[in-house]
Amino acid sequence: MLEEYDFDLSHVTSLIKEKHAKVVGLQFPDGFRREALRISGEISQNTGVRCVISANSCFGACDVDTGLLKSADIMFQFGHAEIPNITVADTHFIEARSLTPVLPVIKQAISEIPDHIGLISTAQFVHTLTDVQKYLADHGITGVIHHGDKRIAYPGLVLGCNFSAAAPNCDEYLYIGTGDFHALGVALATKKPVRIVDPVIEEVRMPDVDRMLRKRCAAIERSLDAQAIGVIVSTKIGQCRKELAFDLCAMAEAHGMNAHILMMDLVTPDALRAFNLDAFVNTACPRIATDGSAGFPAPMLTPVEFEVVIGERRWNDMVFDEI
Ligand code: SF4
């Protein structure tokens, strides 16, 4: 996998030397974890430091291993762009830019692309957006690259929980990247079509929005008689929405429900199984409710879906949960 990406290990070496670090913490998301030992070995060899690899979750730049950071002089999280409005001292984000060319699949899709379209991507391909924009312009198409909010490091970058870089003045989006996860989020958040152009498997496709909406509708219906709810709050630094959780509890109580706040790091079915609750409302990573709720002992709702359940919001006014 490593040869497909550009990790800037020379930058890592410079930062370690600058800091005179002796113990270095390393975090890898699942996709890069198999390279952890090799990268750790290379860093130790280049700098003489002791590396400590986090074996905890690393879902995004929201998920900094603050426990490991207490034992390290400096920490590097690989594979994610920083979230600018979260600052953690001595933590650096080492992006993994894909070296896979994107224009072959854009050429394949060109006849289907409308004259005006928003361009979006993830940290692995966001550096290609200006080249895509130029290529589209040569074919008479305006590709719009929009600046997101304070959670977004680059124009056109989308996270699974933040789609503010999807230009509001576009009726359709072109997502350059792999998987359906981000494109599905944009389609649900904007209620507009998103075309995925996947440079790795050279495929053009659309995410399955209807399937997700059916699942969310079912979760809401199963929660309509709920009397006791658990409101989940994350301890992860970039996922913690404590104030929202308190507000949701107060709202539930005003509707005659019993509400309990559950604070946790990793939100898993096993961790919640012992609580005898009718529904959960998730204020941690929004995608836990929408994409990862299978196997939980009770329906898992987003905060907005919970408002629909208690009649504080109409189904038609539902919006996708974003941080
Ligand atoms: S909150 Fe969830 S979707 Fe957002 S960056 Fe973190 S892991 Fe990704």
Side-chain angles (χ1 to χ4, degrees), residues 59-62 83 151 159-161 181 238-239 285-287 323:
F59 294 121
C62 61
I83 295 179
R151 199 168 163 87
L159 304 177
C161 58
F181 178 81
Q239 296 186 13
C285 169
R287 304 305 288 262
I323 302 182

Side-chain angles (χ1 to χ4, degrees), residues 16-53:
I16 289 171
K17 288 184 176 162
E18 211 173 276
K19 174 88 181 161
H20 302 292
K22 294 199 167 27
V23 180
V24 173
L26 303 176
Q27 264 195 292
F28 298 87
D30 279 354
F32 295 120
R33 208 161 268 209
R34 271 181 293 179
E35 299 298 335
L37 305 185
R38 204 186 66 74
I39 290 177
S40 167
E42 206 171 306
I43 293 171
S44 299
Q45 201 169 18
N46 291 346
T47 59
V49 296
R50 169 71 65 195
C51 286
V52 181
I53 302 167

Side-chain angles (χ1 to χ4, degrees), residues 125-146:
F125 287 97
V126 74
H127 61 285
T128 69
L129 288 186
T130 46
D131 284 348
V132 172
Q133 190 180 42
K134 279 187 203 126
Y135 181 83
L136 294 179
D138 289 344
H139 291 77
I141 298 168
T142 305
V144 183
I145 305 175
H146 183 65

Side-chain angles (χ1 to χ4, degrees), residues 280-297:
F280 297 102
V281 185
N282 171 52
T283 69
C285 169
R287 304 305 288 262
I288 294 168
T290 55
D291 300 60
S293 62
F296 282 99

Side-chain angles (χ1 to χ4, degrees), residues 72 86 111 125 206 227 281:
I86 302 171
S111 61
F125 287 97
M206 309 285 272
Q227 285 304 309
V281 185

Side-chain angles (χ1 to χ4, degrees), residues 8 20 36 38 63 65-66 68 95 103 121 126 128 156 172 177 183 185 187 216 245 272-273 275 300:
D8 192 357
H20 302 292
R38 204 186 66 74
D63 191 3
D65 191 334
T66 47
L68 169 56
E95 293 168 21
L103 291 185
S121 188
V126 74
T128 69
E172 188 171 331
R216 299 322 304 152
L272 294 175
R273 216 173 293 287
F275 302 107
M300 176 77 71

